[in-house]
Amino acid sequence: WKFDAGLDARIGITSQLDANLTLNPDFATVEGDQEQINLTRWELNFPEKRLFFLEGNEMFRTRIKTFYSRRIGDIIYGAKVTGKIRNMDMNVLSARTLEDTSQSEPAAFFTAVRLKQDVLKSSTVGLTMVDKSWQDGFSRSVSVDYMLNLGKTWKLTGQYVGSMSDAIKKPWHTRAAWFARVAKESNIYHVHIRYSNTGENFQDNVNKTGLIRDDDMREVDSDLSYKFWMENDWIKYISLEARNNIFWNHRGILRSWYLTQTARLYTQQRISLDISYNNEFKLYEKKYYNHRIKVEVGYNTDEWASASLSHSTGRNYDRT
């Protein structure tokens, strides 16, 4: 006979604050991931389904994702406190993992802290601290983020992350990442511009605990859209949109641009016409120049039940 046991406990500290404890949890009963075939160069983002990590996990969804709970494998024990204290949301967790010989992962302690404070009328300021420590090393990051609603239409958002580890002893700016974004939007228009800077050694440092798909980037992107509501018997509205992105590495070499323009006509009879054009450049092992034009005609496409017919043509990574 071989006996095995586990424990899960939930303790109400206050009416808005809970503690969760787990010992030898049985993650084998969790629903498996949907199988995906990855034809991209980037790591897939799988959703978290384990009950211990689920509650409050959405608090870690910052643009620069320094905590990705799927990095934590099978655990021996863990503790978590989630909830709200006055105007501050919090999620603090710690877990001890088992050694995973199949992935060459040693046993480790994971600690993640997320605090988000309400400020002004509808703005927030956040702090995230993540640590992974094992016998021969560590990986840590500290992140500060903000979302400021400035009046009825202006919004300012941003984030700064610094990281450190025992393995990478490079200058601090190569291990850091940040972005700043300013937006103005209403129910008929949207415009924003964002600048991001990601150091050359940021991905290797942070991906012990987070999900960073690329680094060594100085990036500018912008979105512009406007919807013209027409007052006649034929046309309901016309919308125009432009989405643009371009980035270089820190040596000044252009790595990518992505430019997309879209126009949409929607009639009072619920017939729509969409025309979009995309132009893209990518630098990988060589240079790729891609482009695509798409035309789509549809009926009732602003609603759940709809029908449409589309045709697109262009060039995609040396193929038509």
Side-chain angles (χ1 to χ4, degrees), residues 21-207:
L21 307 174
T22 187
L23 175 65
N24 191 25
D26 186 9
F27 291 154
T29 63
V30 177
E31 177 188 357
D33 293 314
Q34 181 178 353
E35 186 175 346
Q36 299 182 53
I37 299 174
N38 187 8
L39 300 179
T40 74
R41 299 168 183 264
W42 322 118
E43 180 182 1
L44 294 175
N45 182 3
F46 287 100
E48 181 58 76
K49 299 179 180 180
R50 297 170 294 179
L51 188 61
F52 175 74
F53 296 104
L54 267 179
E55 184 178 1
N57 201 37
E58 69 282 352
M59 288 184 62
F60 291 100
R61 292 175 188 165
T62 52
R63 178 173 176 83
I64 305 174
K65 194 170 184 177
T66 58
F67 179 64
Y68 177 45
S69 60
R70 293 296 298 264
R71 297 286 187 217
I72 304 176
D74 288 335
I75 65 177
I76 306 172
Y77 54 83
K80 181 172 70 170
V81 176
T82 58
K84 196 176 184 74
I85 300 177
R86 295 184 180 179
N87 294 325
M88 183 177 68
D89 293 293
M90 64 182 298
N91 187 349
V92 180
L93 69 87
S94 182
R96 170 72 170 179
T97 62
L98 294 163
E99 181 182 6
D100 187 351
T101 55
S102 64
Q103 301 293 329
S104 300
E105 284 289 336
F109 272 107
F110 283 83
T111 303
V113 177
R114 173 65 174 165
L115 306 174
K116 189 165 70 171
Q117 176 72 41
D118 296 334
V119 297
L120 304 176
K121 292 183 178 180
S122 59
S123 303
T124 60
V125 176
L127 172 69
T128 307
M129 296 179 288
V130 186
D131 175 83
K132 178 184 178 182
S133 298
W134 58 99
Q135 184 176 2
D136 298 320
F138 66 88
S139 175
R140 297 171 187 144
S141 66
V142 178
S143 168
V144 178
D145 60 274
Y146 57 88
M147 188 279 292
L148 304 176
N149 285 310
L150 308 177
K152 294 182 179 180
T153 59
W154 289 94
K155 180 181 290 186
L156 184 65
T157 55
Q159 185 180 1
Y160 178 87
V161 182
S163 69
M164 64 186 75
S165 75
D166 66 298
I168 300 177
K169 307 290 186 181
K170 300 293 184 179
W172 68 268
H173 62 273
T174 70
R175 298 178 279 111
W178 62 273
F179 82 90
R181 176 183 183 268
V182 59
K184 182 175 175 62
E185 57 188 0
S186 71
N187 60 340
I188 61 172
Y189 67 84
H190 169 88
V191 56
H192 85 249
I193 184 167
R194 174 173 48 229
Y195 177 78
S196 306
N197 191 314
T198 309
E200 301 95 305
N201 300 295
F202 185 74
Q203 184 180 23
D204 290 339
N205 249 17
V206 177
N207 267 1

Side-chain angles (χ1 to χ4, degrees), residues 4 7 12 32 80 83 97 103 127 130 167 181 185 191 209 217 234 281-282 290-291 298 300 304 316:
D4 194 14
L7 171 70
K80 181 172 70 170
T97 62
Q103 301 293 329
L127 172 69
V130 186
R181 176 183 183 268
E185 57 188 0
V191 56
T209 59
M217 298 168 58
W234 294 97
F281 164 77
K282 296 293 182 186
N290 307 323
H291 60 87
N300 203 41
W304 177 256
N316 185 57

Side-chain angles (χ1 to χ4, degrees), residues 292-309:
R292 185 183 69 171
I293 186 168
K294 179 179 178 180
V295 178
E296 181 173 345
V297 179
Y299 175 74
N300 203 41
T301 51
D302 273 359
E303 305 298 333
W304 177 256
S306 63
S308 64
L309 178 67

Side-chain angles (χ1 to χ4, degrees), residues 207-300:
N207 267 1
K208 295 290 186 182
T209 59
L211 181 62
I212 309 299
R213 288 196 169 101
D214 204 355
D215 59 7
D216 193 12
M217 298 168 58
R218 293 183 297 168
E219 178 183 21
V220 179
D221 69 80
S222 66
D223 284 2
L224 302 95
S225 64
Y226 199 95
K227 183 177 285 188
F228 300 88
W229 292 95
M230 316 298 288
E231 297 182 1
N232 59 57
D233 296 333
W234 294 97
I235 301 175
K236 186 175 183 179
Y237 67 81
I238 297 174
S239 64
L240 303 175
E241 182 178 6
R243 292 180 285 115
N244 308 293
N245 178 282
I246 185 170
F247 64 85
W248 303 261
N249 65 18
H250 286 83
R251 299 187 303 276
I253 299 174
L254 179 66
R255 292 181 56 197
S256 169
W257 73 59
Y258 186 91
L259 313 173
T260 301
Q261 291 77 41
T262 304
R264 178 177 176 85
L265 170 69
Y266 200 86
T267 72
Q268 298 288 2
Q269 293 74 33
R270 294 183 288 180
I271 297 173
S272 60
L273 173 64
D274 294 270
I275 301 174
S276 63
Y277 174 74
N278 170 258
N279 189 285
E280 181 182 46
F281 164 77
K282 296 293 182 186
L283 175 62
Y284 296 130
E285 66 278 357
K286 70 172 194 175
K287 296 178 179 180
Y288 294 94
Y289 294 91
N290 307 323
H291 60 87
R292 185 183 69 171
I293 186 168
K294 179 179 178 180
V295 178
E296 181 173 345
V297 179
Y299 175 74
N300 203 41

